[in-house]
Amino acid sequence: MEMQGGGSGGRRCEVCGGLAKGENAVQELYAADKDGTRSYVIVRAGQLSFGERRGPREVELNQGLMKSGVLSRLDAAEILVASAMGESARDVSFECYYRDTAEPVDIYTSLQSCRSMGKTTRECFFGDAVDNKSPLSLEQVLQTPLKGSLFPSGREVVGLDYSSMLSQLTPDNAVPFDIDSIRYESA
């Protein structure tokens, strides 16, 4: 994958820039629909797997390109159907992945955001169930059920069914995003 400069010394992938341009074009096209009868939903599924369906209780939706993760094709299909069939999600873009596979797109920015929410570094990496006082082993991490969210951004949506989760999303015009904000600033 070729990389290109992203201004201010930052770098971004060419594919990511192309995706962002495509999403922006969709948003502009539907914004031009003056009667408001049409809407769009942009679903950014995480890394798709051939795994089993885990269902909405295991899935996290997020807006703002802060996190990604793994999602089975079966759960992705259910989210796509719920998005198309429901009326609650209109003019929204979001990421979807299993909560326990969430990883930040930009580790530094995500850690800053998480710490600003009053979380410890351990809680950012391992969720709210982690014991902040004793040493952590890999075995403990793997055996402890995830509580909360990994690298919380404040935009996470979880729930019991996809329709209710989709209804909690914020329309894109209220969540501006600049693709150039995802970059590494050299010292």
Side-chain angles (χ1 to χ4, degrees), residues 53-132:
R53 177 189 179 276
R54 289 172 57 180
R57 292 176 189 230
E58 299 287 324
V59 172
E60 182 173 281
L61 308 182
N62 200 335
Q63 293 182 279
L65 289 174
M66 295 294 288
K67 296 191 271 186
S68 188
V70 176
L71 187 69
S72 77
R73 285 169 167 78
L74 295 171
D75 280 309
E78 284 191 32
I79 292 168
L80 291 169
V81 169
S83 298
M85 300 296 289
E87 287 295 318
S88 58
R90 295 180 55 85
D91 301 331
V92 296
S93 302
F94 63 93
E95 296 75 46
C96 50
Y97 45 84
Y98 294 126
R99 293 181 330 116
D100 61 355
T101 68
E103 57 186 38
V105 171
D106 178 341
I107 187 84
Y108 181 75
T109 302
S110 293
L111 188 55
Q112 280 184 318
S113 174
C114 181
R115 293 296 309 268
S116 73
M117 296 172 69
K119 306 276 185 187
T120 66
T121 300
R122 275 187 178 198
E123 290 169 328
C124 295
F125 275 92
F126 304 111
D128 295 337
V130 69
D131 177 4
N132 281 309

Side-chain angles (χ1 to χ4, degrees), residues 1-183:
M1 177 177 331
E2 274 190 54
M3 302 295 280
Q4 67 182 25
S8 302
R11 300 180 75 180
R12 66 174 186 238
C13 80
E14 189 175 313
V15 172
C16 300
L19 290 172
K21 286 179 184 178
E23 289 180 11
N24 290 340
V26 167
Q27 293 165 346
E28 290 171 12
L29 177 69
Y30 283 88
D33 179 27
K34 300 298 181 204
D35 63 8
T37 58
R38 296 175 191 91
S39 66
Y40 66 88
V41 176
I42 296 173
V43 180
R44 298 184 197 106
Q47 178 184 351
L48 295 174
S49 75
F50 289 105
E52 296 180 5
R53 177 189 179 276
R54 289 172 57 180
R57 292 176 189 230
E58 299 287 324
V59 172
E60 182 173 281
L61 308 182
N62 200 335
Q63 293 182 279
L65 289 174
M66 295 294 288
K67 296 191 271 186
S68 188
V70 176
L71 187 69
S72 77
R73 285 169 167 78
L74 295 171
D75 280 309
E78 284 191 32
I79 292 168
L80 291 169
V81 169
S83 298
M85 300 296 289
E87 287 295 318
S88 58
R90 295 180 55 85
D91 301 331
V92 296
S93 302
F94 63 93
E95 296 75 46
C96 50
Y97 45 84
Y98 294 126
R99 293 181 330 116
D100 61 355
T101 68
E103 57 186 38
V105 171
D106 178 341
I107 187 84
Y108 181 75
T109 302
S110 293
L111 188 55
Q112 280 184 318
S113 174
C114 181
R115 293 296 309 268
S116 73
M117 296 172 69
K119 306 276 185 187
T120 66
T121 300
R122 275 187 178 198
E123 290 169 328
C124 295
F125 275 92
F126 304 111
D128 295 337
V130 69
D131 177 4
N132 281 309
K133 296 182 176 121
S134 61
L136 258 172
S137 72
L138 180 58
E139 185 176 335
Q140 285 174 299
V141 170
L142 294 174
Q143 290 179 352
T144 304
L146 178 62
K147 181 179 175 195
S149 186
L150 301 178
F151 290 95
S153 65
R155 295 181 179 172
E156 292 80 7
V157 175
V158 295
L160 303 178
D161 65 85
Y162 293 125
S163 295
S164 66
M165 292 166 71
L166 292 165
S167 70
Q168 297 176 55
L169 297 174
T170 305
D172 286 339
N173 59 1
V175 184
F177 180 77
D178 176 11
I179 190 69
D180 287 323
S181 69
I182 300 177
R183 66 174 171 248

